């Protein structure tokens, strides 16, 4: 079977490719594309298998025709789409770029895929951010209340995909993942950022005191869920990938500090909350459990694995900025 991963250099894309090589050996032919060349060494988790992975450099914003031409030739059974502008904070500064990447660039692709008879499943990576901040457990049929341009752009493509499912029977499945972390994650994200900052003897800002709550899930658990969704899910359905254990950002940073034998108060600076920041979204994973899935890696074990990756790549990672650099 053939799997095509759009956004193969993203953290989720790279993690899934690595997981397929290690856990499923040569069971699938793997293809993928990203707008940049294959990820640099410290982020490319599947680098030792790169000769077995068929990579194409394609910017979906600029050259969807090239992607469609390749898909016509490859005829993948399954497509995962992880390509997105995904940093919430900066979506306020460049909302047009978030809408272009997350919505507009997908339309020509969907117009082609609605007629692609070879396609068994199109697995779309959405986000819990579409729900906004909630006070109760979120089921998959919860209404959208996005509170940032990023979340609104993702809600827009979700609704468009639902239109294509309803009218053309596009075999789409929606995935919404709680805060994913692990080896290979960009170091401006909270867990690797905290590890790097402590190693560099620098403090990190805790926006709003770190009181917002999230469920954190390790990348291998997410990849396992993605494979089960690929094999067992029903088209048109939404699946939440989460372990349902909630932590404040402050508690996560405290745990990282404890693991690294540092005092929490020496590792942070309390800062203002970011605009539109959702205080909490608590996802139900009932549908995923029906697919015989559950998360297996505890937060502490996952942090230890992430710390090991940071230390192995510290020479390169310490030179990088701990903030997002926007690309149009």
């Amino acid at each position: 079977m053939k799997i095509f991963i759009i956004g193969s250099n993203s953290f989720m894309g790279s993690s899934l490719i690595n997981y397929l090589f290690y856990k499923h050996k040569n069971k699938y032919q793997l293809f993928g594309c990203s707008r940049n060349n294959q990820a640099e060494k410290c982020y490319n988790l599947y680098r030792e298998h790169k000769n077995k992975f068929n990579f194409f450099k394609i910017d979906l914003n600029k050259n969807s025709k090239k992607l469609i031409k390749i898909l016509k030739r490859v005829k993948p059974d399954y497509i995962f789409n992880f390509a997105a502008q995904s940093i919430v904070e900066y979506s306020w500064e460049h909302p047009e770029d978030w809408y272009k990447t997350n919505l507009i660039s997908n339309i020509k692709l969907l117009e082609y895929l609605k007629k692609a008879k070879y396609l068994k499943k199109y697995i779309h990576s959405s986000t819990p951010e579409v729900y906004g901040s909630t006070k109760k457990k979120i089921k998959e049929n919860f209404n959208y209340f996005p509170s940032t341009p990023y979340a609104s752009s993702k809600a827009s493509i979700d609704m468009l995909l639902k239109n294509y499912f309803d009218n053309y029977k596009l075999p789409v499945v929606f995935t919404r993942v709680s805060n994913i972390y692990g080896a290979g994650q960009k170091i401006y994200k909270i867990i690797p950022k905290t590890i790097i900052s402590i190693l560099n003897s620098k403090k990190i800002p805790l926006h709003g005191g770190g009181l917002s709550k999230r469920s954190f899930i390790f990348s291998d658990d997410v990849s396992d869920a993605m494979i089960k969704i690929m094999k067992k899910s029903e088209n048109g359905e939404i699946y939440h990938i989460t372990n349902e254990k909630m932590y404040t950002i402050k508690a996560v940073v405290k745990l990282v500090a404890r693991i690294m034998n540092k005092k929490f108060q020496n590792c942070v600076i309390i800062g203002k909350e970011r605009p539109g920041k959702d205080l909490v979204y608590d996802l139900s994973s009932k549908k995923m459990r029906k697919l015989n899935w559950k998360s297996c890696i505890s937060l502490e074990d996952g942090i230890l694995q992430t710390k090991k990756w940071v230390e192995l790549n510290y020479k390169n990672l310490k030179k990088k900025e701990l903030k997002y650099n926007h690309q149009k």
Side-chain angles (χ1 to χ4, degrees):
M1 290 187 179
K2 298 176 183 178
I3 297 174
F4 199 104
I5 298 171
I6 301 171
S8 59
N9 286 348
S10 67
F11 175 45
M12 287 179 65
S14 179
S15 297
L16 179 60
I17 294 164
N18 183 59
Y19 188 85
L20 285 164
F21 276 128
Y22 277 102
K23 299 291 184 178
H24 295 269
K25 301 302 180 184
N26 298 316
K27 190 174 181 180
Y28 303 103
Q29 281 186 273
L30 300 182
F31 303 80
C33 68
S34 277
R35 64 180 177 180
N36 298 318
N37 285 323
Q38 282 177 280
E40 56 187 298
K41 188 176 180 181
C42 57
Y43 289 121
N44 188 343
L45 301 177
Y46 58 89
R47 59 183 179 266
E48 62 187 88
H49 301 283
K50 65 181 181 180
N51 292 331
K52 298 178 183 178
F53 176 65
N54 302 278
F55 175 78
F56 305 93
K57 183 182 177 182
I58 300 172
D59 186 338
L60 195 56
N61 283 328
K62 299 175 181 177
N63 204 346
S64 57
K65 288 183 180 179
K66 181 178 178 181
L67 174 58
I68 290 168
K69 184 177 180 181
I70 291 167
L71 292 175
K72 284 181 179 179
R73 185 174 78 244
V74 173
K75 292 182 172 58
D77 300 278
Y78 304 99
I79 296 176
F80 289 87
N81 192 345
F82 299 124
Q85 294 276 14
S86 61
I87 305 301
V88 177
E89 180 181 1
Y90 293 93
S91 69
W92 292 102
E93 299 177 15
H94 307 279
E96 69 280 6
D97 293 341
W98 266 250
Y99 272 87
K100 183 178 180 181
T101 300
N102 297 347
L103 175 63
I104 303 301
S105 69
N106 285 268
I107 294 175
K108 287 183 180 178
L109 174 63
L110 297 182
E111 279 293 292
Y112 164 68
L113 290 178
K114 73 182 186 183
K115 304 171 186 175
K117 297 187 181 299
Y118 58 78
L119 184 63
K120 294 179 180 177
K121 208 167 295 273
Y122 179 81
I123 299 148
H124 170 69
S125 179
S126 183
T127 173
E129 300 269 358
V130 300
Y131 299 126
S133 187
T134 62
K135 295 181 179 180
K136 59 182 181 180
K137 184 74 75 174
I138 304 172
K139 295 182 180 180
E140 292 82 357
N141 61 353
F142 197 83
N143 289 334
Y144 296 168
F145 294 101
S147 52
T148 65
Y150 162 65
S152 295
S153 69
K154 293 295 286 184
S156 298
I157 185 60
D158 286 7
M159 289 187 285
L160 181 63
L161 280 163
K162 182 65 164 57
N163 296 155
Y164 275 71
F165 172 74
D166 290 340
N167 289 280
Y168 305 117
K169 301 304 176 186
L170 178 74
V172 63
V173 175
F174 302 86
T175 65
R176 295 189 180 131
V177 185
S178 59
N179 283 38
I180 180 176
Y181 72 99
Q185 187 174 32
K186 298 297 184 183
I187 59 173
Y188 49 75
K189 293 293 190 176
I190 189 64
I191 289 177
K193 183 177 182 177
T194 303
I195 295 169
I196 288 274
S197 296
I198 290 174
L199 289 174
N200 284 339
S201 300
K202 294 181 179 179
K203 296 183 177 182
I204 68 164
L206 266 189
H207 298 289
L211 299 181
S212 57
K213 288 185 177 181
R214 298 290 185 267
S215 174
F216 287 81
I217 186 164
F218 192 67
S219 52
D220 281 357
D221 280 338
V222 176
S223 294
D224 181 48
M226 290 291 177
I227 300 305
K228 286 184 167 61
I229 287 169
M230 183 183 79
K231 292 179 177 179
K232 300 179 179 181
S233 65
E234 294 184 29
N235 293 341
E237 292 296 318
I238 298 166
Y239 293 87
H240 291 164
I241 303 173
T242 176
N243 55 27
E244 299 191 44
K245 295 178 181 178
M246 303 297 291
Y247 300 86
T248 63
I249 303 300
K250 180 179 180 180
V252 172
V253 173
K254 275 189 172 183
L255 178 57
V256 175
R258 179 175 65 79
I259 287 171
M260 299 183 71
N261 297 313
K262 299 293 181 180
K263 291 182 178 180
F264 168 76
Q265 58 268 29
N266 295 334
C267 299
V268 299
I269 300 173
I270 305 301
K272 292 182 180 180
E273 189 56 276
R274 294 177 294 190
K277 179 71 176 290
D278 297 325
L279 182 62
V280 59
Y281 39 77
D282 186 5
L283 304 178
S284 166
S285 61
K286 188 175 180 180
K287 273 192 187 179
M288 277 306 308
R289 293 196 302 272
K290 287 181 179 179
L291 299 186
N292 195 31
W293 174 88
K294 66 177 181 178
S295 62
C296 298
I297 300 168
S298 70
L299 180 59
E300 183 163 352
D301 286 344
I303 289 172
L304 285 167
Q305 291 191 48
T306 308
K307 176 175 172 285
K308 181 179 179 180
W309 166 75
V310 169
E311 290 170 342
L312 285 171
N313 294 276
Y314 184 63
K315 183 178 179 180
N316 289 323
L317 292 174
K318 70 178 180 179
K319 300 174 186 176
K320 301 183 181 301
E321 290 188 77
L322 295 178
K323 65 179 182 179
Y324 169 73
N325 290 313
H326 179 58
Q327 287 182 274
K328 288 185 173 290

